[in-house]
Amino acid sequence: MISITVQHDNFDSGAEADRLSALGGGAISSFVGQVRGDGNLYALELEHYPAMTEKALRKIAMKALDQWALYGITIIHRVGRLRVGEQIVLVCTCSDHRQAAIEACSYIMDQLKTIAPFWKKEILCDGSENWVEERQSDLDAAKSWDD
């Protein structure tokens, strides 16, 4: 089972983990990303193109299913204006064993940071704005799965 959601509303990570738990298996791994309060960041504004974004997220999830024995994957990514401390992304994976669940969760998150088509704009406390560029560390992490 793959569940992909791109939404403005917040999510309940516990409820999402419970949904995966009902599929069976002995391990659920999850990652919740929040908007960091780096520097004088006030908020992030995330934009996306719905059809393209959901297709890309599904492709990432399908690759994870090909690589690891998983019962299910949940990906929820928020869009719109999100203030510092708000949840931005949830990735949950369910498997029989912790290593598969943890590795798949990490893989999906690394791919989300680099190939998922989201555009992020920082809104700073002084009112200035700037588009977020890709980080080399994120590109390196995603590429490490190719080895």
Side-chain angles (χ1 to χ4, degrees):
M1 179 210 81
I2 296 175
S3 175
I4 307 285
T5 309
V6 180
Q7 64 190 39
H8 284 85
D9 296 331
N10 201 5
F11 52 82
D12 180 342
S13 57
E16 297 301 330
D18 287 347
R19 280 192 193 96
L20 282 182
S21 180
L23 299 175
I28 294 175
S29 181
S30 66
F31 173 84
V32 176
Q34 298 177 312
V35 178
R36 288 188 301 264
D38 294 347
N40 65 347
L41 184 69
Y42 174 74
L44 278 181
E45 194 161 311
L46 284 88
E47 298 178 9
H48 78 299
Y49 180 67
M52 185 168 73
T53 302
E54 290 163 15
K55 182 178 178 181
L57 297 182
R58 185 159 302 281
K59 185 175 179 180
I60 292 167
M62 293 300 293
K63 284 187 177 182
L65 279 177
D66 287 345
Q67 184 72 25
W68 292 277
L70 302 172
Y71 288 94
I73 297 170
T74 298
I75 300 171
I76 300 175
H77 207 298
R78 294 181 65 198
V79 292
R81 184 173 281 209
L82 303 171
R83 292 188 178 166
V84 169
E86 286 191 74
Q87 297 182 127
I88 189 170
V89 63
L90 170 69
V91 174
C92 289
T93 57
C94 179
S95 180
D96 279 332
H97 304 286
R98 75 174 183 268
Q99 185 172 359
I102 291 168
E103 287 179 2
C105 188
S106 185
Y107 166 82
I108 292 167
M109 200 54 230
D110 285 342
Q111 301 307 306
L112 287 177
K113 295 281 290 180
T114 57
I115 64 173
F118 291 99
W119 297 273
K120 297 177 186 177
K121 182 172 38 174
E122 294 177 327
I123 294 110
L124 304 178
C125 292
D126 65 6
S128 63
E129 300 177 349
N130 50 293
W131 291 100
V132 176
E133 300 280 330
E134 285 183 319
R135 294 181 181 163
Q136 188 60 48
S137 60
D138 293 334
L139 295 170
D140 292 343
K143 187 167 175 37
S144 72
W145 293 100
D146 295 337
D147 298 337

